[in-house]
Amino acid sequence: MRRKTLVASVLAGVLVAGLSVVGADAAGRDDKVVRAFEATTRSTAWTQVARIPLKFPTYHPQGFALVGDRIYLSSVEVLEAPVPYPVPVDGYDRTPGKGIGHVFVLDRQGNLLKDIRVGEGTAYHPGGIDYDGENVWVPAAEYRPNSRGIVYKINPRTYRVSEQFRVKDHVGGVVRDRRTGLVHGVSWGSRTLYAWTAAGKQVDKQPNQSHLLDYQDCDYVGRSKQLCGGVTGLKTPTGGNFELGGLALLDLNDDNRILHEIPFPAYSTAGHSVTRNPVALEVDGSKLRLFTAPDDGEGATGTELLIYESPIS
């Protein structure tokens, strides 16, 4: 069964059962993001308009969600780093390590307003997050591939955290489709793409069509579309490391078909691709705006909120 038919069948079943899906399709702002992004090319000029140091422990940032005038930032605090096994143990290539999962709530000046904890036991690594118009959806997984994950939602009015479902794989990021109500997710390195009902029933699993980028953080941006930021680590001719960063627009309703993608040739103070971890885009008047936070809090420069803008043609 092709995925379009599958999604239509799932959505019909939800409606027949008398349950509601998320009604807001964000036809205004999010459709503007889609149109503005589709007009970008590798030659598009982006200007850094702000660099805001985050003056609190940020650890290892993962995902952004824009909720009105608030920015939700997921991050993992590693207390004991996973250690590779000489040979796999019970199907794992490394120890689980120890840590704490955070979702920070910031104002747009970078001030910390709230620190929300997520995760359980060895599932302490939050990933990419998304706001569906009602709740912020957050995964927390073990810090190793082929493991397990828990998907939560956070009420932005009360900050209440509710577990939604569990997955027998590392979930590195989630997006809620406002049209169908389905939750889409990516595995370790985004090599596998999933779709579940809001109650956790898996309805799709497929390989990622893109071999160019590992998606790190995605957001819903229109009629069953998600916009993802990512990075690929490459070697230079001299044996050094190079991060290729970029952005990609995917059709959630058509086998995650890539609709548009561009490289993003900008780097942080610490030398990382700015699309390395959290990304979020919005349209403000005649400008397409990108929020990023690529650097870890433990680094020499700490985490900075970097904001880029490009004129909409």
Side-chain angles (χ1 to χ4, degrees), residues 16-307:
V16 167
L19 301 176
S20 64
V21 297
V22 177
D25 202 340
R29 185 197 69 191
D30 288 340
D31 279 355
K32 290 179 181 178
V33 171
V34 171
R35 292 195 297 269
F37 179 70
E38 287 180 326
T40 63
T41 71
R42 63 189 300 170
S43 300
T44 294
W46 294 84
T47 301
Q48 186 183 99
V49 297
R51 187 176 67 191
I52 304 170
L54 299 184
K55 299 178 181 179
F56 60 91
T58 54
Y59 310 111
H60 182 26
Q62 299 294 309
F64 273 152
L66 304 180
V67 183
D69 61 354
R70 299 289 184 257
I71 300 173
Y72 281 63
L73 167 64
S74 60
S75 183
V76 57
E77 177 184 359
V78 178
L79 302 176
E80 178 184 299
V83 178
Y85 290 124
V87 295
V89 176
D90 297 328
Y92 297 116
D93 67 350
R94 68 197 72 184
T95 65
K98 297 179 181 179
I100 300 171
H102 300 265
V103 177
F104 300 118
V105 184
L106 319 176
D107 63 21
R108 292 207 171 199
Q109 290 71 49
N111 299 305
L112 178 63
L113 306 176
K114 186 73 174 178
D115 179 358
I116 304 167
R117 301 290 180 91
V118 295
E120 171 190 289
T122 55
Y124 58 84
H125 189 302
I129 64 179
D130 184 47
Y131 177 56
D132 70 358
E134 296 180 5
N135 295 285
V136 178
W137 290 74
V138 182
E142 292 192 3
Y143 205 169
R144 53 186 179 176
N146 306 311
S147 53
R148 66 185 181 98
I150 307 170
V151 176
Y152 299 94
K153 65 181 183 182
I154 298 174
N155 184 317
R157 294 172 297 279
T158 65
Y159 299 133
R160 181 174 180 268
V161 179
S162 302
E163 179 184 323
Q164 288 301 108
F165 56 88
R166 298 184 176 225
V167 179
K168 293 181 179 179
D169 196 359
H170 174 97
V171 182
V174 292
V175 164
R176 180 94 188 279
D177 189 330
R178 300 188 188 188
R179 187 180 67 85
T180 66
L182 295 178
V183 179
H184 297 262
V186 300
S187 68
W188 183 276
S190 75
R191 292 305 88 206
T192 302
L193 307 180
Y194 288 100
W196 307 277
T197 67
K201 178 182 179 182
Q202 182 178 307
V203 297
D204 195 33
K205 176 182 179 181
Q206 60 179 268
N208 190 344
Q209 296 180 31
S210 174
H211 299 282
L212 183 65
L213 295 175
D214 288 346
Y215 303 138
Q216 302 295 315
D217 187 24
C218 303
D219 290 300
Y220 188 79
V221 287
R223 295 180 180 274
S224 294
K225 298 178 181 67
Q226 64 176 345
L227 211 164
C228 301
V231 68
T232 298
L234 301 171
K235 290 293 184 182
T236 67
T238 57
N241 296 315
F242 170 70
E243 292 180 354
L244 171 66
L247 299 165
L249 179 68
L250 282 67
D251 190 337
L252 296 171
N253 197 33
D254 189 10
D255 295 320
N256 288 287
R257 180 168 60 93
I258 299 170
L259 301 173
H260 187 64
E261 63 182 349
I262 60 169
F264 200 91
Y267 296 89
S268 69
T269 304
H272 291 295
S273 166
V274 298
T275 62
R276 174 181 179 239
N277 277 313
V279 297
L281 289 98
E282 67 177 10
V283 165
D284 183 3
S286 61
K287 299 175 182 178
L288 178 61
R289 181 177 295 132
L290 171 67
F291 297 82
T292 75
D295 295 340
D296 293 346
E298 290 87 350
T301 59
T303 301
E304 297 173 324
L305 174 61
L306 306 179
I307 304 176

